[in-house]
Structures are given as C-alpha cells and as structure tokens.
Amino acid sequence: MEIPTRLVLAPMAGVSVQAFRRQGRRFGAGLVCSEMVSCAGLHHGNERTLGYLRIASDERPLAVQIFGSEPDVMAEAARMVEDAGADLVDVNFGCPVKKVTKTGAGATLLEDPERACGVVSAVAEAVSVPVTVKMRRGLENGSRACLELGPRLVEAGASSLTLHPRSARQMYTGEADHSLTAELVSRVDVPVIASGDVTSRARAQAILATTGASAVMVGRAAQGNPWALREIIEGETEPPTREEVVAELILFMRATVRELGEKRATGFLKKFYGWYLGRGRFPRPFKQELVQLEVLGEVEERLFAAAPGSAAVLARLEAEHPEGEDDVLLDLPISIYGGG
Ligand SMILES: Cc1cc2nc3c(=O)[nH]c(=O)nc-3n(C[C@H](O)[C@H](O)[C@H](O)COP(=O)(O)O)c2cc1C
C-alpha cells in the first residue's frame, strides 16, 4: 500500500473525528487514522461511547484503530473495519489510560508479549488489508519493551509499527525519546512511523534523518492548526489569515454537527475554539466568549463578525469539498477513553 506523503495524522480520541481526518488529508497528510474504536463494545453494548465511527472514501487512505485484548474479539472487529472500507487496521498497544489498561488492553500489552502477538496474528489472519500496530516504549519510565516486542509483532503479522517513545506512566510529560525509534528501525524490516513531539518541518526532518523512520506522525501540533501539516510538508508557508482560520473552524463545526449531532457537537467543539483562535490569532477573551455560548449558530455569528471576509472563503471550501456523499457507519463504538 502506498502512502502519498511521509506525514501521518495521529489518532487522537476526542479529536480525530471525520472532519479532522478530512481536513488533515486536504492539508497534505498521506494517511489519517480514526480514533480508537472499542472491541469490547461488540460484547458490552452498554459501554459509554462517543457514537459510531463514520468513514467515507475521501478520507482514504484511512487507518481505523481498534483496541482490546481478546484475539477472537479483535479479529471480529477487524473484519468489520475492513468491510466498512478501511485501508489499514491499526491495533492500539499504547493507550495509557487506567480504564483501558486495567482490562489488559492498550499499553498493558507491551508487557504481555504472548498475548500481544496472539492479538496481532489473529487480526492479521482475519483480514486481507495490512495490519499495523501503534505502541509506546513500555509501561514504566526507561522501559525498552517496545524493542523486544516490535520484531515479534512483525513476525506475528504486523506490516508497520508506529512508536510513540514515551512510557505509559509518562502520559504526555517529558520528551519522546526518538533514539528508541532509531533502534526499532534497525531491528525490523517493515516501515516504522515516528510519533511524538513533531511540531515543525525542522523537527520532522531531524527525526526522519536520525531515526531512519519512513514517516512522521503529527498529533497535538495539528489540533486547530492544519497549517502545521502544510508547513511540515512544504516548508516555509505564510501563516493563515484570520479569514482562513475562521472559515476552517466553521467548516469543521458544520461537519462535526453532521457527524455527532448538534447536542454532542456543542460540547465537543469547545476545546477547538482555543486551539484555532489561540496562537496569537485572536485576542484571548474572544475564545472565552465563544465557549460560554450554547448555540452553535451564535458561535458562527460571532466568528463571521470577527472576520467578515471568512464567509467567501468558507463558501469556496464548501463548494470544493462537498461532504457526506458516501459515508458508511461502522457498527463499532468510538471509545471515550483514548491515548497512546
Ligand atoms: C487527546 C489525545 C488523544 C489520543 N488518543 C489516541 C488514541 O486513541 N490512539 C492512539 O494510538 N494514540 C492516541 N494519542 C497519542 C497520539 O496519537 C500521539 O502518539 C501522541 O500524542 C504523541 O504525538 P504528538 O506529540 O504529535 O501529539 C492521543 C493523544 C492525545 C493528545
């Protein structure tokens, strides 16, 4: 399978909705990933979730990430993911959130190689699309578990590995130690994707050069900031105008309402206002004003008023990128717990 650029948009629970993935593709990500979907949801219909995963052909190439610890259940979920049209099935061995690790899923599998390999081989046998794994370095600080496990996962059927070289205990503190990424690259003969602290083109180039990784993955730097993706791929680019920022935000809001429904979208979107409008783009009180509003129509009105030229930019974006034409709903719930 060919990925058109060496930049992958990270899976982020509570962030990587379809609107985020589509936007990532428009700004140059060669591959986008869904948030993690819960395989436990297959058997525990009552799990609290963010709704069901919606995917469409213009997101592709698309990886859908699944998590769980039972090989049979994971295989069943993987078949559903493949049927829904995903190009890759990604398995989460990185989630550090207690609710997930205590079930034996996510990062816990880094320290349970037998089970981890059992999951990967069951999933790889179940589907004909490539199976990939995303992992952390290990559970505890300083752990090098990923280096022992990586080659075994490849033997079990993983076609590519993504490493976020922080421990689960670290969560998002400290720095990603990409010397481990370099070591992993030297131990496996499949593409390795480097995740963690890729925030600029200079950083991406340094990580690619020093690790030998095939691609970088960008997560937090792209939150409310798809322009970072363009900068990483193309180099020096003009910062977006206020009109462009507002147009992208409103396009994102409208797409998210279609995806999650108005009620859920209203709460979901609040964190995005700061992400889009911060970075010196608008005065801080403006974001605070928007998060107080409970009607998205009012948020749009204030945004248009703050950047009147944005309506024309938005109209052009909506005409160029019509949405919702061939959406498929995957019968697997999006997990509210996420991380990796
Ligand atoms: C809010 C949030 C949610 C995340 N959810 C997931 C997830 O569902 N699956 C996963 O594999 N990684 C998840 N991650 C980890 C990211 O994919 C990425 O590996 C990590 O943030 C480091 O990259 P960055 O420094 O570019 O953000 C999440 C990260 C954040 C910040």
Side-chain angles (χ1 to χ4, degrees), residues 222-239:
Q223 292 171 339
N225 196 23
W227 298 277
L229 303 177
R230 188 172 285 165
E231 190 268 337
I232 289 170
I233 292 168
E234 294 178 8
E236 251 340 276
T237 48
E238 287 290 308

Side-chain angles (χ1 to χ4, degrees), residues 19 35 42 49 53 69 75 96 131 197 207-208 218 263 265 269 336 338 340:
E35 310 167 74
L42 277 176
T49 69
L53 191 70
S69 60
V131 174
D197 306 338
I207 289 173
L208 288 174
V218 178
K263 188 157 174 282
L269 283 166
I336 55 163

